[in-house]
């Protein structure tokens, strides 16, 4: 009888240990997800900061970009157009990488919507520079935001 009682207590303690272990596992998973989301948000802000510093300190791109915005891409020389296309491609790649982070669950919807809204706003300018929308999920979202479904 004592061994049955001891087995019941040991089983109860083992089950309690399993429940505690599962609770700790869930806590660790949530903590890991929060850390990943935080890292993605910080990385996004770092990318934006680096891009803004590069733009502000780049003596070649700023005048070219301003000329394209004021007079259109057709006013650019071949070299200016190539430089601007490379710059704007880098901008789109940063935006797309951030959208992928959203798609994978590491950025919030508000941030992703902001990225898409900004990209849709720049779409006429990018098209003037020579960019055509492709078929990625990111570009489909831009197309939708620009009303070009």
């Amino acid at each position: 009888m004592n061994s049955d009682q001891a087995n019941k207590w040991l089983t109860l303690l083992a089950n309690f240990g399993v429940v505690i272990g599962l609770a700790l596992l869930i806590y660790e998973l949530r903590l890991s997800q929060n850390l990943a989301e935080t890292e993605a948000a910080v990385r996004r802000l770092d990318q934006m900061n680096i891009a803004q510093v590069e733009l502000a300190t780049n003596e070649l791109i700023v005048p070219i970009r301003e000329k394209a915005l004021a007079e259109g891409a057709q006013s650019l020389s071949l070299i200016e157009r190539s430089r601007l296309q490379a710059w704007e491609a880098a901008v789109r790649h940063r935006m797309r990488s951030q959208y992928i982070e959203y798609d994978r669950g590491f950025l919030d919807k508000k941030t992703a919507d902001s990225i898409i809204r900004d990209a849709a706003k720049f779409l006429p300018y990018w098209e003037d520079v020579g960019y055509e929308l492709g078929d990625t999920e990111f570009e489909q979202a831009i197309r939708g935001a620009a009303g070009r479904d």
Side-chain angles (χ1 to χ4, degrees), residues 39-139:
E39 286 177 358
V42 168
R43 189 172 39 254
R44 175 180 178 272
L45 293 174
D46 285 345
Q47 287 176 346
M48 290 169 50
N49 186 45
I50 289 168
Q52 292 299 320
V53 169
E54 286 175 9
L55 182 60
T57 60
N58 191 317
E59 295 178 14
L60 295 174
I61 291 297
V62 174
I64 295 171
R65 195 166 195 258
E66 291 303 314
K67 183 178 178 182
L69 288 168
E71 302 171 25
Q74 73 281 355
S75 68
L76 301 176
S77 71
L78 184 59
I79 292 172
E80 289 172 329
R81 190 178 185 96
S82 294
R83 284 183 177 147
L84 187 59
Q85 285 173 337
W87 172 263
E88 295 302 336
V91 169
R92 285 190 307 278
H93 290 309
R94 278 191 298 271
M95 291 176 124
R96 184 171 180 215
S97 73
Q98 294 163 5
Y99 188 81
I100 289 170
E101 288 178 338
Y102 158 72
D103 193 42
R104 302 292 190 270
F106 297 115
L107 284 177
D108 59 290
K109 182 162 176 39
K110 183 178 177 182
T111 300
D113 289 346
S114 173
I115 292 166
I116 295 301
R117 220 178 12 260
D118 289 345
K121 181 179 72 175
F122 282 112
L123 185 58
Y125 162 71
W126 286 339
E127 288 173 332
D128 188 38
V129 172
Y131 173 68
E132 293 181 23
L133 282 178
D135 246 0
T136 67
E137 188 175 330
F138 173 64
E139 291 164 321

